[in-house]
Amino acid sequence: MVIEEKKILNRLKRTEGQIRGVQKMIEDEKECIDVITQLSAIRSSIDRVMGMIVADNLKNCFEHPAENPAEQAKKLEQAINMIIKK
């Protein structure tokens, strides 16, 4: 998971920068539409990170199944519920 972990952390760092940018926009009294546009981009970025984490979890479940089938089914159900929860 080293590559995926690095991608996730990089995306989160970019998102953190976007949030700081929005804070500055608000301090500078930028137009509402510009702030909302940036907030929408932040939301998309966070959604993408969540998808990456859930996908990695699902991949891990299939590559390294739990010894207990009931536990495996529970993990898969949790991951699926996280995806469709939107």
Side-chain angles (χ1 to χ4, degrees):
M1 184 176 131
V2 175
I3 293 172
E4 284 301 310
E5 186 175 309
K6 189 172 184 176
K7 287 181 185 178
I8 289 168
L9 290 175
N10 285 338
R11 183 170 290 271
L12 286 173
K13 288 175 185 177
R14 280 194 306 271
T15 303
E16 181 182 19
Q18 288 177 298
I19 291 170
R20 280 194 301 271
V22 168
Q23 290 170 335
K24 179 144 178 41
M25 290 174 75
I26 291 170
E27 289 169 357
D28 294 345
E29 299 181 1
K30 297 293 182 183
E31 292 292 321
C32 176
I33 190 70
D34 296 330
V35 173
I36 296 302
T37 299
Q38 287 304 310
L39 289 172
S40 179
I42 291 166
R43 179 173 37 198
S44 294
S45 180
I46 290 171
D47 285 344
R48 177 74 175 134
V49 169
M50 290 171 58
M52 292 167 72
I53 291 170
V54 171
D56 191 57
N57 183 46
L58 282 172
K59 181 181 170 190
N60 190 41
C61 282
F62 286 116
E63 289 178 351
H64 308 286
E67 293 192 19
N68 178 346
E71 181 183 333
Q72 179 74 7
K74 182 179 176 183
K75 285 181 180 182
L76 291 172
E77 184 178 344
Q78 286 175 334
I80 291 167
N81 285 337
M82 292 177 87
I83 293 170
I84 62 174
K85 198 171 201 175
K86 293 187 173 196

Coordinates of all heavy atoms in Angstrom, one line a residue:
M1 N 0.8 -1.2 0.0 CA 0.0 0.0 0.0 C 0.9 1.3 0.0 O 0.3 2.4 0.1 CB -0.9 0.0 1.2 CG -1.9 1.2 1.2 SD -3.0 1.1 2.6 CE -2.9 2.7 3.2
V2 N 2.1 1.1 -0.1 CA 3.0 2.3 -0.1 C 2.7 3.3 -1.1 O 2.6 4.5 -0.9 CB 4.5 1.8 -0.1 CG1 5.4 3.0 -0.2 CG2 4.8 0.9 1.1
I3 N 2.5 2.8 -2.4 CA 2.2 3.8 -3.5 C 0.9 4.5 -3.3 O 0.7 5.7 -3.4 CB 2.2 3.0 -4.8 CG1 3.7 2.6 -5.1 CG2 1.7 3.9 -5.9 CD1 3.8 1.7 -6.3
E4 N -0.2 3.7 -2.9 CA -1.5 4.3 -2.7 C -1.4 5.2 -1.5 O -2.1 6.3 -1.5 CB -2.5 3.2 -2.4 CG -3.0 2.5 -3.7 CD -3.6 3.4 -4.7 OE1 -4.5 4.2 -4.4 OE2 -3.2 3.4 -5.9
E5 N -0.7 4.8 -0.5 CA -0.6 5.7 0.7 C 0.0 7.0 0.3 O -0.5 8.1 0.8 CB 0.2 5.0 1.8 CG 0.3 5.7 3.1 CD 1.0 4.9 4.2 OE1 0.7 3.7 4.3 OE2 2.0 5.5 4.8
K6 N 1.0 7.0 -0.5 CA 1.7 8.2 -0.9 C 0.8 9.1 -1.7 O 0.7 10.3 -1.6 CB 3.0 7.9 -1.7 CG 3.8 9.0 -2.0 CD 5.1 8.6 -2.6 CE 6.0 9.8 -2.8 NZ 7.3 9.5 -3.3
K7 N 0.0 8.4 -2.6 CA -1.0 9.2 -3.4 C -2.0 9.8 -2.6 O -2.4 11.0 -2.8 CB -1.7 8.3 -4.4 CG -0.8 7.8 -5.6 CD -1.6 6.9 -6.5 CE -0.8 6.4 -7.7 NZ -1.6 5.5 -8.5
I8 N -2.5 9.1 -1.6 CA -3.5 9.6 -0.7 C -3.0 10.8 0.1 O -3.6 11.9 0.2 CB -4.1 8.5 0.3 CG1 -4.9 7.5 -0.5 CG2 -4.9 9.1 1.4 CD1 -5.2 6.2 0.2
L9 N -1.8 10.7 0.7 CA -1.2 11.7 1.4 C -0.9 13.0 0.6 O -1.2 14.1 1.0 CB 0.1 11.3 2.1 CG -0.1 10.3 3.3 CD1 1.2 9.8 3.8 CD2 -0.9 10.9 4.4
N10 N -0.5 12.8 -0.6 CA -0.3 13.9 -1.6 C -1.6 14.6 -1.9 O -1.6 15.9 -1.9 CB 0.4 13.5 -2.9 CG 1.9 13.1 -2.7 OD1 2.5 13.6 -1.7 ND2 2.4 12.3 -3.6
R11 N -2.6 13.9 -2.1 CA -3.9 14.5 -2.4 C -4.4 15.3 -1.2 O -5.0 16.4 -1.3 CB -4.9 13.4 -2.8 CG -6.3 14.0 -3.2 CD -7.1 13.0 -3.9 NE -6.7 12.6 -5.2 CZ -7.1 13.2 -6.3 NH1 -7.8 14.2 -6.3 NH2 -6.6 12.7 -7.5
L12 N -4.2 14.7 0.0 CA -4.7 15.4 1.2 C -3.9 16.7 1.5 O -4.4 17.7 1.9 CB -4.6 14.5 2.5 CG -5.6 13.4 2.5 CD1 -5.3 12.4 3.7 CD2 -7.0 13.9 2.7
K13 N -2.6 16.6 1.2 CA -1.8 17.9 1.3 C -2.3 18.9 0.3 O -2.3 20.1 0.7 CB -0.3 17.5 1.1 CG 0.3 16.8 2.3 CD 1.7 16.3 2.0 CE 2.2 15.5 3.1 NZ 3.6 15.0 2.9
R14 N -2.6 18.5 -0.9 CA -3.1 19.5 -1.9 C -4.5 20.1 -1.4 O -4.7 21.3 -1.5 CB -3.3 18.9 -3.2 CG -2.0 18.8 -4.0 CD -2.3 18.4 -5.5 NE -3.1 17.3 -5.7 CZ -2.7 16.0 -5.9 NH1 -1.4 15.8 -5.8 NH2 -3.5 15.1 -6.1
T15 N -5.3 19.2 -0.8 CA -6.6 19.7 -0.3 C -6.4 20.6 0.9 O -7.1 21.6 1.0 CB -7.4 18.4 0.1 OG1 -7.6 17.6 -1.0 CG2 -8.8 18.9 0.6
E16 N -5.4 20.3 1.7 CA -5.1 21.2 2.8 C -4.7 22.6 2.3 O -5.2 23.6 2.8 CB -4.0 20.6 3.6 CG -3.6 21.5 4.8 CD -2.4 20.8 5.6 OE1 -1.7 20.0 5.0 OE2 -2.2 21.2 6.8
G17 N -3.9 22.6 1.2 CA -3.6 23.9 0.6 C -4.8 24.6 0.0 O -4.9 25.9 0.1
Q18 N -5.7 23.9 -0.6 CA -6.9 24.5 -1.1 C -7.7 25.1 0.1 O -8.3 26.2 -0.1 CB -7.8 23.4 -1.8 CG -7.2 23.0 -3.1 CD -8.1 21.9 -3.7 OE1 -8.2 20.8 -3.2 NE2 -8.6 22.2 -4.9
I19 N -7.8 24.4 1.2 CA -8.6 25.0 2.3 C -8.0 26.3 2.8 O -8.7 27.2 3.1 CB -8.7 23.9 3.4 CG1 -9.6 22.8 3.0 CG2 -9.2 24.5 4.7 CD1 -9.6 21.6 3.9
R20 N -6.6 26.3 2.9 CA -6.0 27.5 3.3 C -6.3 28.6 2.3 O -6.5 29.8 2.6 CB -4.5 27.3 3.5 CG -4.1 26.7 4.8 CD -2.6 26.8 5.1 NE -1.8 26.2 4.0 CZ -1.4 24.9 4.0 NH1 -1.8 24.1 5.0 NH2 -0.7 24.4 3.0
G21 N -6.3 28.3 1.0 CA -6.6 29.2 0.0 C -8.0 29.8 0.1 O -8.2 31.0 0.0
V22 N -9.0 29.0 0.5 CA -10.3 29.4 0.7 C -10.4 30.4 1.9 O -11.1 31.4 1.9 CB -11.3 28.2 0.9 CG1 -12.7 28.7 1.4 CG2 -11.5 27.5 -0.5
Q23 N -9.7 30.0 3.0 CA -9.6 30.9 4.1 C -9.1 32.3 3.7 O -9.7 33.3 4.1 CB -8.7 30.3 5.2 CG -9.3 29.1 5.9 CD -8.3 28.4 6.7 OE1 -7.1 28.5 6.6 NE2 -8.8 27.6 7.7
K24 N -8.1 32.3 2.9 CA -7.5 33.6 2.4 C -8.5 34.3 1.6 O -8.7 35.5 1.7 CB -6.2 33.4 1.7 CG -5.6 34.7 1.2 CD -4.1 34.7 1.2 CE -3.5 35.9 0.7 NZ -4.1 37.2 1.0
M25 N -9.2 33.6 0.7 CA -10.3 34.2 -0.1 C -11.3 34.9 0.7 O -11.8 36.0 0.4 CB -10.9 33.1 -1.0 CG -10.0 32.6 -2.1 SD -10.8 31.2 -3.0 CE -11.9 32.2 -4.1
I26 N -11.7 34.2 1.8 CA -12.8 34.8 2.7 C -12.2 36.0 3.4 O -12.9 37.1 3.4 CB -13.3 33.7 3.7 CG1 -14.1 32.7 2.9 CG2 -14.1 34.4 4.8 CD1 -14.4 31.4 3.7
E27 N -11.0 35.9 3.9 CA -10.4 37.1 4.5 C -10.3 38.3 3.5 O -10.5 39.4 3.9 CB -9.0 36.8 5.0 CG -9.0 35.8 6.2 CD -7.6 35.3 6.5 OE1 -6.6 35.6 5.8 OE2 -7.5 34.6 7.5
D28 N -10.0 38.0 2.2 CA -9.9 39.0 1.2 C -11.2 39.4 0.6 O -11.2 40.2 -0.4 CB -8.9 38.5 0.1 CG -7.5 38.3 0.6 OD1 -7.1 38.8 1.7 OD2 -6.7 37.7 -0.2
E29 N -12.3 38.8 1.1 CA -13.6 39.1 0.7 C -13.8 38.9 -0.8 O -14.4 39.7 -1.5 CB -14.0 40.6 1.1 CG -14.0 40.7 2.6 CD -14.4 42.2 3.1 OE1 -14.7 43.0 2.2 OE2 -14.4 42.4 4.3
K30 N -13.4 37.8 -1.3 CA -13.5 37.4 -2.7 C -15.0 37.1 -2.9 O -15.8 36.8 -2.0 CB -12.7 36.2 -3.0 CG -11.2 36.4 -2.9 CD -10.7 37.4 -3.9 CE -9.2 37.6 -3.8 NZ -8.7 38.6 -4.7
E31 N -15.3 37.0 -4.2 CA -16.7 36.8 -4.6 C -17.2 35.4 -4.1 O -16.4 34.4 -4.1 CB -16.8 36.8 -6.2 CG -16.6 38.2 -6.8 CD -17.7 39.2 -6.4 OE1 -18.9 38.7 -6.4 OE2 -17.4 40.3 -6.2
C32 N -18.5 35.4 -3.8 CA -19.1 34.2 -3.3 C -18.9 33.0 -4.2 O -18.6 31.9 -3.8 CB -20.6 34.4 -3.0 SG -21.5 33.0 -2.5
I33 N -19.2 33.2 -5.5 CA -19.1 32.2 -6.5 C -17.7 31.6 -6.6 O -17.5 30.4 -6.8 CB -19.6 32.7 -7.9 CG1 -19.7 31.5 -8.9 CG2 -18.6 33.7 -8.5 CD1 -20.9 30.6 -8.5
D34 N -16.7 32.4 -6.4 CA -15.3 31.9 -6.4 C -15.0 31.0 -5.2 O -14.3 30.0 -5.4 CB -14.3 33.1 -6.5 CG -14.5 33.9 -7.8 OD1 -14.8 33.3 -8.8 OD2 -14.2 35.1 -7.7
V35 N -15.5 31.4 -4.1 CA -15.3 30.6 -2.9 C -16.0 29.3 -3.0 O -15.5 28.2 -2.7 CB -15.8 31.4 -1.6 CG1 -15.8 30.5 -0.4 CG2 -15.0 32.7 -1.4
I36 N -17.3 29.3 -3.5 CA -18.1 28.1 -3.6 C -17.4 27.2 -4.7 O -17.4 26.0 -4.5 CB -19.5 28.4 -4.1 CG1 -20.2 29.2 -3.0 CG2 -20.3 27.2 -4.4 CD1 -20.3 28.6 -1.6
T37 N -16.8 27.7 -5.7 CA -16.2 26.9 -6.7 C -15.0 26.2 -6.1 O -14.8 25.0 -6.3 CB -15.6 27.8 -7.9 OG1 -16.8 28.4 -8.5 CG2 -14.9 27.0 -8.9
Q38 N -14.2 26.9 -5.3 CA -13.1 26.2 -4.6 C -13.6 25.2 -3.6 O -13.0 24.1 -3.4 CB -12.2 27.3 -3.9 CG -11.4 28.1 -4.9 CD -10.5 27.2 -5.8 OE1 -9.8 26.3 -5.3 NE2 -10.6 27.4 -7.1
L39 N -14.6 25.5 -2.8 CA -15.2 24.5 -1.9 C -15.7 23.3 -2.6 O -15.5 22.2 -2.1 CB -16.3 25.2 -1.0 CG -15.8 26.2 0.0 CD1 -17.0 26.9 0.6 CD2 -15.0 25.6 1.1
S40 N -16.2 23.4 -3.8 CA -16.7 22.3 -4.5 C -15.5 21.4 -5.0 O -15.6 20.2 -4.9 CB -17.5 22.8 -5.8 OG -17.9 21.7 -6.5
A41 N -14.4 22.1 -5.3 CA -13.2 21.3 -5.7 C -12.6 20.6 -4.5 O -12.2 19.4 -4.6 CB -12.1 22.3 -6.3
I42 N -12.7 21.2 -3.3 CA -12.2 20.5 -2.1 C -13.1 19.3 -1.8 O -12.6 18.2 -1.5 CB -12.2 21.5 -0.9 CG1 -11.2 22.6 -1.1 CG2 -12.1 20.8 0.4 CD1 -11.3 23.8 -0.2
R43 N -14.4 19.5 -1.9 CA -15.3 18.3 -1.7 C -15.0 17.2 -2.7 O -14.9 16.0 -2.2 CB -16.8 18.8 -1.8 CG -17.7 17.6 -1.6 CD -19.2 18.0 -1.6 NE -19.5 19.1 -2.5 CZ -20.6 19.8 -2.4 NH1 -21.5 19.6 -1.4 NH2 -20.9 20.7 -3.3
S44 N -14.8 17.5 -3.9 CA -14.4 16.5 -4.9 C -13.1 15.8 -4.5 O -13.0 14.5 -4.7 CB -14.3 17.1 -6.3 OG -15.6 17.6 -6.7
S45 N -12.2 16.5 -4.1 CA -10.9 15.9 -3.7 C -11.1 15.0 -2.5 O -10.5 13.9 -2.5 CB -9.9 17.0 -3.4 OG -8.7 16.5 -3.0
I46 N -11.8 15.4 -1.5 CA -12.1 14.5 -0.4 C -12.8 13.3 -0.8 O -12.5 12.2 -0.3 CB -12.8 15.3 0.7 CG1 -11.8 16.4 1.3 CG2 -13.3 14.4 1.8 CD1 -12.4 17.4 2.3
D47 N -13.8 13.4 -1.6 CA -14.6 12.3 -2.1 C -13.6 11.3 -2.8 O -13.8 10.1 -2.7 CB -15.7 12.7 -3.1 CG -16.9 13.3 -2.4 OD1 -17.0 13.2 -1.1 OD2 -17.7 14.0 -3.1
R48 N -12.7 11.8 -3.6 CA -11.7 11.0 -4.3 C -10.9 10.2 -3.3 O -10.6 9.0 -3.5 CB -10.9 11.8 -5.2 CG -9.8 11.1 -5.9 CD -10.4 10.2 -7.0 NE -9.3 9.6 -7.8 CZ -9.2 8.3 -8.1 NH1 -10.2 7.5 -7.8 NH2 -8.2 7.9 -8.7
V49 N -10.4 10.9 -2.2 CA -9.6 10.2 -1.2 C -10.4 9.1 -0.6 O -9.9 8.0 -0.4 CB -9.1 11.3 -0.2 CG1 -8.4 10.5 1.0 CG2 -8.0 12.2 -0.8
M50 N -11.6 9.4 -0.2 CA -12.5 8.4 0.4 C -12.6 7.2 -0.5 O -12.5 6.0 -0.1 CB -13.8 9.0 0.7 CG -13.8 10.0 1.9 SD -15.3 10.9 2.2 CE -16.5 9.5 2.5
G51 N -12.8 7.4 -1.8 CA -12.9 6.3 -2.8 C -11.6 5.5 -2.9 O -11.7 4.3 -3.0
M52 N -10.5 6.2 -2.9 CA -9.2 5.5 -2.9 C -9.0 4.6 -1.7 O -8.6 3.5 -1.8 CB -8.1 6.5 -3.0 CG -8.0 7.3 -4.3 SD -6.9 8.7 -4.3 CE -5.3 7.9 -4.3
I53 N -9.4 5.1 -0.5 CA -9.3 4.3 0.7 C -10.2 3.1 0.7 O -9.8 2.0 1.0 CB -9.5 5.2 1.9 CG1 -8.3 6.2 2.1 CG2 -9.6 4.4 3.2 CD1 -8.6 7.3 3.1
V54 N -11.4 3.3 0.3 CA -12.4 2.2 0.3 C -11.9 1.2 -0.8 O -12.0 0.0 -0.5 CB -13.8 2.7 0.0 CG1 -14.8 1.5 -0.3 CG2 -14.3 3.5 1.2
A55 N -11.5 1.6 -1.9 CA -11.0 0.7 -3.0 C -9.9 -0.1 -2.5 O -9.8 -1.3 -2.7 CB -10.7 1.5 -4.3
D56 N -8.9 0.6 -1.8 CA -7.8 -0.1 -1.3 C -8.2 -1.2 -0.2 O -7.7 -2.3 -0.2 CB -6.8 0.8 -0.7 CG -5.4 0.2 -0.4 OD1 -4.8 -0.4 -1.3 OD2 -5.0 0.2 0.8
N57 N -9.2 -0.8 0.6 CA -9.7 -1.8 1.6 C -10.3 -3.0 0.9 O -10.1 -4.1 1.3 CB -10.7 -1.0 2.5 CG -11.2 -1.9 3.6 OD1 -10.5 -2.6 4.2 ND2 -12.5 -1.9 3.8
L58 N -11.1 -2.7 -0.1 CA -11.8 -3.8 -0.9 C -10.7 -4.7 -1.5 O -10.8 -6.0 -1.4 CB -12.7 -3.3 -1.9 CG -14.1 -2.8 -1.5 CD1 -14.8 -2.2 -2.6 CD2 -14.9 -4.0 -0.9
K59 N -9.7 -4.1 -2.1 CA -8.6 -4.9 -2.7 C -7.9 -5.7 -1.7 O -7.6 -6.9 -1.9 CB -7.6 -3.9 -3.4 CG -6.5 -4.6 -4.1 CD -5.6 -3.5 -4.7 CE -4.3 -4.2 -5.2 NZ -3.3 -3.2 -5.5
N60 N -7.7 -5.2 -0.5 CA -7.0 -5.9 0.5 C -7.9 -7.1 1.0 O -7.3 -8.1 1.3 CB -6.7 -5.0 1.7 CG -5.8 -5.6 2.7 OD1 -4.9 -6.3 2.4 ND2 -6.1 -5.4 4.0
C61 N -9.2 -6.9 1.1 CA -10.1 -7.9 1.5 C -10.0 -9.1 0.5 O -10.1 -10.3 0.9 CB -11.5 -7.4 1.6 SG -11.9 -6.5 3.1
F62 N -9.9 -8.8 -0.8 CA -9.9 -9.9 -1.8 C -8.5 -10.6 -1.8 O -8.4 -11.8 -2.0 CB -10.3 -9.4 -3.1 CG -11.7 -9.1 -3.3 CD1 -12.2 -7.8 -3.5 CD2 -12.7 -10.1 -3.1 CE1 -13.5 -7.6 -3.6 CE2 -14.0 -9.9 -3.2 CZ -14.5 -8.6 -3.5
E63 N -7.4 -9.8 -1.7 CA -6.1 -10.3 -1.7 C -5.7 -11.1 -0.5 O -4.9 -12.0 -0.5 CB -5.1 -9.2 -2.0 CG -5.2 -8.7 -3.4 CD -4.2 -7.5 -3.7 OE1 -3.6 -7.0 -2.7 OE2 -4.1 -7.1 -4.8
H64 N -6.3 -10.6 0.7 CA -5.9 -11.3 2.0 C -7.2 -11.5 2.7 O -7.5 -10.8 3.7 CB -5.0 -10.4 2.8 CG -3.8 -9.9 2.0 ND1 -2.7 -10.7 1.8 CD2 -3.5 -8.7 1.5 CE1 -1.8 -10.1 1.1 NE2 -2.2 -8.8 0.9
P65 N -8.0 -12.5 2.3 CA -9.3 -12.7 3.0 C -9.1 -13.1 4.4 O -8.1 -13.8 4.8 CB -9.9 -13.9 2.1 CG -8.8 -14.5 1.4 CD -7.7 -13.4 1.2
A66 N -10.1 -12.8 5.2 CA -10.1 -13.2 6.6 C -10.3 -14.7 6.7 O -11.0 -15.2 5.8 CB -11.2 -12.4 7.4
E67 N -9.8 -15.3 7.7 CA -10.0 -16.7 7.9 C -11.4 -17.0 8.2 O -11.9 -18.1 7.9 CB -9.0 -17.2 8.9 CG -7.6 -17.2 8.5 CD -6.6 -17.9 9.4 OE1 -7.1 -18.8 10.1 OE2 -5.4 -17.6 9.3
N68 N -12.1 -16.1 8.8 CA -13.5 -16.3 9.2 C -14.4 -15.7 8.1 O -14.4 -14.5 7.9 CB -13.8 -15.6 10.5 CG -15.2 -15.7 11.0 OD1 -16.1 -16.1 10.2 ND2 -15.4 -15.4 12.3
P69 N -15.1 -16.6 7.4 CA -16.0 -16.1 6.3 C -17.0 -15.0 6.7 O -17.3 -14.1 6.0 CB -16.7 -17.3 5.7 CG -15.8 -18.4 6.2 CD -15.2 -18.0 7.5
A70 N -17.5 -15.1 7.9 CA -18.5 -14.2 8.4 C -17.8 -12.8 8.6 O -18.4 -11.7 8.3 CB -19.1 -14.6 9.7
E71 N -16.6 -12.8 9.1 CA -15.8 -11.6 9.3 C -15.5 -10.9 7.9 O -15.6 -9.7 7.8 CB -14.5 -11.9 10.1 CG -13.7 -10.6 10.3 CD -12.4 -11.0 11.0 OE1 -12.3 -12.0 11.8 OE2 -11.4 -10.2 10.9
Q72 N -15.1 -11.8 7.0 CA -14.8 -11.3 5.6 C -16.1 -10.6 5.0 O -16.0 -9.5 4.4 CB -14.4 -12.4 4.7 CG -14.1 -12.1 3.3 CD -12.8 -11.3 3.2 OE1 -12.0 -11.1 4.1 NE2 -12.5 -10.8 2.0
A73 N -17.2 -11.3 5.1 CA -18.5 -10.8 4.6 C -18.8 -9.4 5.2 O -19.3 -8.5 4.6 CB -19.6 -11.8 4.8
K74 N -18.6 -9.3 6.5 CA -18.9 -8.1 7.3 C -18.0 -6.9 6.8 O -18.5 -5.8 6.5 CB -18.7 -8.3 8.8 CG -19.0 -7.1 9.6 CD -18.8 -7.4 11.1 CE -19.0 -6.1 11.9 NZ -18.7 -6.3 13.3
K75 N -16.7 -7.2 6.5 CA -15.8 -6.2 6.0 C -16.2 -5.7 4.7 O -16.2 -4.5 4.4 CB -14.4 -6.7 6.0 CG -13.7 -6.8 7.3 CD -12.3 -7.3 7.2 CE -11.6 -7.4 8.5 NZ -10.2 -7.9 8.4
L76 N -16.6 -6.7 3.8 CA -17.0 -6.3 2.4 C -18.3 -5.5 2.5 O -18.4 -4.5 1.8 CB -17.2 -7.6 1.6 CG -15.9 -8.3 1.2 CD1 -16.2 -9.6 0.6 CD2 -15.0 -7.5 0.4
E77 N -19.2 -5.9 3.3 CA -20.5 -5.2 3.4 C -20.2 -3.7 3.9 O -20.8 -2.8 3.4 CB -21.4 -5.9 4.4 CG -22.8 -5.2 4.5 CD -23.8 -6.0 5.4 OE1 -23.5 -7.2 5.7 OE2 -24.8 -5.4 5.8
Q78 N -19.3 -3.6 4.9 CA -19.0 -2.2 5.4 C -18.4 -1.4 4.3 O -18.8 -0.2 4.1 CB -18.0 -2.3 6.5 CG -18.6 -2.8 7.8 CD -17.5 -3.0 8.9 OE1 -16.4 -3.2 8.6 NE2 -17.9 -2.9 10.2
A79 N -17.5 -1.9 3.5 CA -16.9 -1.2 2.4 C -18.0 -0.8 1.4 O -18.0 0.4 0.9 CB -15.8 -2.0 1.8
I80 N -18.8 -1.7 1.0 CA -19.9 -1.4 0.0 C -20.8 -0.3 0.6 O -21.2 0.6 -0.1 CB -20.7 -2.7 -0.3 CG1 -19.7 -3.6 -1.1 CG2 -21.9 -2.4 -1.1 CD1 -20.3 -5.0 -1.3
N81 N -21.2 -0.4 1.8 CA -22.1 0.6 2.4 C -21.4 2.0 2.4 O -22.1 3.0 2.3 CB -22.5 0.2 3.9 CG -23.5 -0.9 3.9 OD1 -24.2 -1.1 2.9 ND2 -23.5 -1.6 5.0
M82 N -20.1 2.0 2.6 CA -19.4 3.3 2.6 C -19.5 3.9 1.2 O -19.6 5.1 1.0 CB -17.9 3.2 3.0 CG -17.8 2.8 4.5 SD -16.1 2.6 5.0 CE -15.7 4.2 5.3
I83 N -19.4 3.1 0.1 CA -19.5 3.5 -1.2 C -20.9 4.1 -1.6 O -21.0 5.2 -2.2 CB -19.1 2.4 -2.2 CG1 -17.6 2.1 -2.0 CG2 -19.4 2.8 -3.7 CD1 -17.2 0.8 -2.8
I84 N -21.9 3.4 -1.2 CA -23.2 3.7 -1.6 C -23.9 4.7 -0.6 O -25.0 5.1 -0.9 CB -24.1 2.5 -1.8 CG1 -24.3 1.7 -0.5 CG2 -23.6 1.6 -2.9 CD1 -25.3 0.6 -0.6
K85 N -23.2 5.1 0.4 CA -23.8 5.9 1.5 C -24.1 7.4 1.0 O -24.9 8.1 1.5 CB -22.9 6.0 2.7 CG -23.6 6.5 3.9 CD -22.7 6.3 5.1 CE -23.5 6.3 6.4 NZ -22.7 6.0 7.5
K86 N -23.4 7.8 -0.1 CA -23.6 9.2 -0.6 C -25.0 9.4 -0.8 O -25.8 10.1 -0.6 CB -22.9 9.3 -1.9 CG -21.4 9.2 -1.7 CD -20.7 9.6 -3.0 CE -19.2 9.7 -2.8 NZ -18.5 10.3 -3.8

